[in-house]
Amino acid sequence: MEQHFIHSSYRERLIEHLFIGELLKHSWLERGCRLEVAKPEVDNSGYDLIAEENGVIRHLQLKASSREARTAKQNVHTALGIKPSGVVVWVQFDAETLELGPFLIFGGSPGNPLPDLSGFKMARHTKGNAEGIKAERPAIRHVPKSHFTKYDSAVEVYEALFGVP
């Protein structure tokens, strides 16, 4: 499906909206419409969304890949670890229907910071410089899939992010 790489920015935004929609739907149906979602104007601190419910503020870095993808790690910005309750949400989806799930989470419990990133391998630029050297990216760490916790539904993700009422 070449559409997935030709229109990857479109797909990324679509997956983000579908994910936010699932969280808002759960808030509507079960949590008293208390979820607030905001988007930063710039992306220089490692997060894509800010979500808050009942005083629990989560800075979310969103990642997405199809269920069939062989992605074994994700790049995580170290600035996310400075936020009081940063978390990476890796949304997997069906490439044909765009059905979401399962979801993988790397982060602490509600109100707790992102686990320490200092032990993870530093990322490198994907393209080399004039000499062919791929420079290190000191602010980015590779976090292996094995460090993420799997959740089957957006409701489970919601409860992992904000706790069980």
Side-chain angles (χ1 to χ4, degrees):
M1 297 188 74
E2 69 179 48
Q3 181 175 357
H4 283 281
F5 64 86
I6 292 174
H7 300 291
S8 60
S9 296
Y10 187 103
R11 184 194 70 188
E12 180 180 314
R13 191 66 63 222
L14 174 58
I15 297 297
E16 179 179 301
H17 284 284
L18 292 171
F19 175 67
I20 293 169
E22 288 296 314
L23 296 180
L24 290 171
K25 180 169 72 173
H26 181 63
S27 181
W28 174 271
L29 294 172
E30 302 294 333
R31 305 280 290 235
C33 302
R34 295 186 306 253
L35 179 65
E36 295 181 24
V37 179
K39 190 152 180 66
E41 287 294 321
V42 294
D43 178 15
N44 65 350
S45 293
Y47 61 92
D48 303 299
L49 298 172
I50 305 164
E52 187 267 334
E53 183 191 86
N54 286 338
V56 176
I57 300 171
R58 301 302 298 246
H59 289 78
L60 289 82
Q61 182 177 27
L62 296 180
K63 302 291 188 176
S65 63
S66 75
R67 293 176 190 155
E68 295 78 30
R70 295 183 184 183
T71 310
K73 63 186 180 307
Q74 288 292 349
N75 290 335
V76 178
H77 200 295
T78 57
L80 188 61
I82 297 169
K83 299 300 177 187
S85 197
V87 63
V88 181
V89 179
W90 184 349
V91 180
Q92 296 184 319
F93 60 91
D94 182 281
E96 299 214 5
T97 66
L98 296 181
E99 176 186 328
L100 303 184
F103 305 84
L104 304 171
I105 292 185
F106 177 74
S109 58
N112 290 307
L114 191 70
D116 182 24
L117 294 171
S118 63
F120 292 104
K121 186 177 177 181
M122 189 180 304
R124 292 188 170 275
H125 285 277
T126 55
K127 295 181 181 179
N129 62 16
E131 293 83 37
I133 298 168
K134 295 180 180 180
E136 290 183 331
R137 299 176 69 192
I140 307 294
R141 297 290 186 272
H142 289 308
V143 178
K145 193 176 195 176
S146 61
H147 287 266
F148 286 76
T149 302
K150 182 179 175 185
Y151 296 91
D152 291 320
S153 72
V155 170
E156 291 174 356
V157 170
Y158 196 108
E159 291 177 353
L161 293 174
F162 301 107
V164 178

